[in-house]
């Protein structure tokens, strides 16, 4: 069991470094001896869960894609009753999204019962800087990690309301942490507003849940009250995802 736990520690360390890290970085994050890490990496390399780059750094491998795809689909199924509660709470479309690499991916949705409603196609990939779910998934990461990601994506302008500078986005992410939820006020698409809250697996923010709809309907809602209700639902979903929930 200890070997399994240590192998998972190594994979999680690679994920926390954005999917790629050197031996010293993995050691610093896990506290494991170099020899132990090297042995674990050799096993993970052989199974395709890790690959070694030309500069001898290690990166998450393609073997995780198959597992991740199946797990992502299951999480989407588990989220459905919680998203339904968010629709009942807000009257608007509810979404579940995760951060994969530099992109936000929508993995589940329950549509609003209203005729005029928003759709974010399941499987759709968008950049994080212009979405409420993206802001949530960046807000609880280290500032340098968020900036590095934003520099890679370039923060393209989606609408006149899009935040396109990293310093301004760091200020925005600070607001998200302070109030506990994020807003997209026509930053991804004009006329569409969105409110998102974090889903926590223990101490980590692993996903974001949101409601989205026409700007006038979202603006008519009490944001703080809506966010409190959404956070209760997201916390209940996060408790199901937590390792402690299985035992």
């Amino acid at each position: 069991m200890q070997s399994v736990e240590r192998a998972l520690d190594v994979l999680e360390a690679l994920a926390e470094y954005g999917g790629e890290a050197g031996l010293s970085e993995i050691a610093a994050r896990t506290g494991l001896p170099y020899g132990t890490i090297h042995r674990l990496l050799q096993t993970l390399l052989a199974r395709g869960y890790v690959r070694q780059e030309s500069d001898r750094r290690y990166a998450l491998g393609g073997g995780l894609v198959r597992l991740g795809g199946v797990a992502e689909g299951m999480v989407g199924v588990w989220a459905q009753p919680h998203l339904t509660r968010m629709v009942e709470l807000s009257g608007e479309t509810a979404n579940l999204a995760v951060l994969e690499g530099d992109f936000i991916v929508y993995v589940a949705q329950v549509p609003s019962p209203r005729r005029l409603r928003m759709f974010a196609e399941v499987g759709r990939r968008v950049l994080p800087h212009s979405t409420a779910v993206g802001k949530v998934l960046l807000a609880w990461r280290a500032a340098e990690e968020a900036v590095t990601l934003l520099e890679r994506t370039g923060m393209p302008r989606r609408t006149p309301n899009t935040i396109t500078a990293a310093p301004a986005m760091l200020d925005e992410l600070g607001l998200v942490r302070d109030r506990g939820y994020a807003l997209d006020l026509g930053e991804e698409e004009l006329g569409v507003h969105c409110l998102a809250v974090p889903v926590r697996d223990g101490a980590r923010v692993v996903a974001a849940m949101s409601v989205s709809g026409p700007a006038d309907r979202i603006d008519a809602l009490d944001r703080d009250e809506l966010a409190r209700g959404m956070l209760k639902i997201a916390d209940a979903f996060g408790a199901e995802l937590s390792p402690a929930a299985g035992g």
Side-chain angles (χ1 to χ4, degrees):
M1 289 299 293
Q2 186 181 55
S3 295
V4 174
E5 289 183 355
R6 288 177 169 180
L8 292 173
D9 287 342
V10 169
L11 291 174
E12 289 179 355
L14 286 168
E16 289 167 3
Y17 277 111
E20 181 181 324
L23 195 62
S24 61
E25 292 170 315
I26 298 171
R29 187 60 63 100
T30 64
L32 295 172
Y34 279 64
T36 299
I37 295 170
H38 189 265
R39 287 194 297 274
L40 292 169
L41 285 170
Q42 293 310 303
T43 301
L44 294 168
L45 281 164
R47 297 296 295 268
Y49 296 129
V50 168
R51 69 177 190 271
Q52 191 166 25
E53 307 288 38
S54 58
D55 60 1
R56 303 191 64 78
R57 289 168 65 80
Y58 294 91
L60 295 175
L64 294 170
V65 174
R66 177 177 57 84
L67 297 180
V70 174
E72 190 174 276
M74 291 304 300
V75 169
V77 171
W78 300 334
Q80 290 296 312
H82 301 281
L83 294 174
T84 298
R85 289 179 60 200
M86 285 197 177
V87 173
E88 294 168 351
L89 179 70
S90 65
E92 304 297 344
T93 296
N95 309 284
L96 174 71
V98 297
L99 183 64
E100 289 187 359
D102 291 347
F103 289 89
I104 296 298
V105 180
Y106 290 93
V107 296
Q109 181 181 92
V110 173
S112 166
R114 298 181 176 184
R115 289 187 178 181
L116 179 60
R117 56 194 178 188
M118 300 299 109
F119 286 98
E121 183 180 356
V122 172
R124 181 186 176 202
R125 296 164 66 86
V126 298
L127 292 174
H129 70 288
S130 56
T131 62
V133 286
K135 292 176 186 177
V136 162
L137 289 164
L138 291 181
W140 280 273
R141 292 174 177 262
E144 58 270 21
E145 184 179 346
V147 169
T148 298
L149 185 153
L150 294 169
E151 288 175 345
R152 286 197 302 266
T153 64
M155 302 180 67
R157 186 178 298 280
R158 296 285 296 159
T159 77
N161 300 328
T162 307
I163 299 172
T164 58
M169 181 56 70
L170 288 179
D171 290 342
E172 176 78 357
L173 298 180
L175 290 174
V176 172
R177 289 190 298 274
D178 288 345
R179 67 189 173 208
Y181 64 88
L183 295 169
D184 161 14
L185 302 178
E187 295 159 57
E188 173 67 17
E189 184 177 349
L190 285 175
V192 178
H193 286 187
C194 182
L195 188 152
V197 297
V199 176
R200 290 181 169 86
D201 175 0
R204 301 176 304 164
V205 173
V206 295
M209 302 178 89
S210 69
V211 296
S212 58
D216 57 344
R217 294 205 312 240
I218 295 293
D219 291 349
L221 299 170
D222 183 319
R223 290 175 183 167
D224 290 337
E225 182 178 350
L226 174 60
R228 282 193 292 271
M230 290 175 63
L231 281 165
K232 289 180 181 178
I233 296 169
D235 287 347
F237 179 47
E240 291 184 7
L241 299 177
S242 174

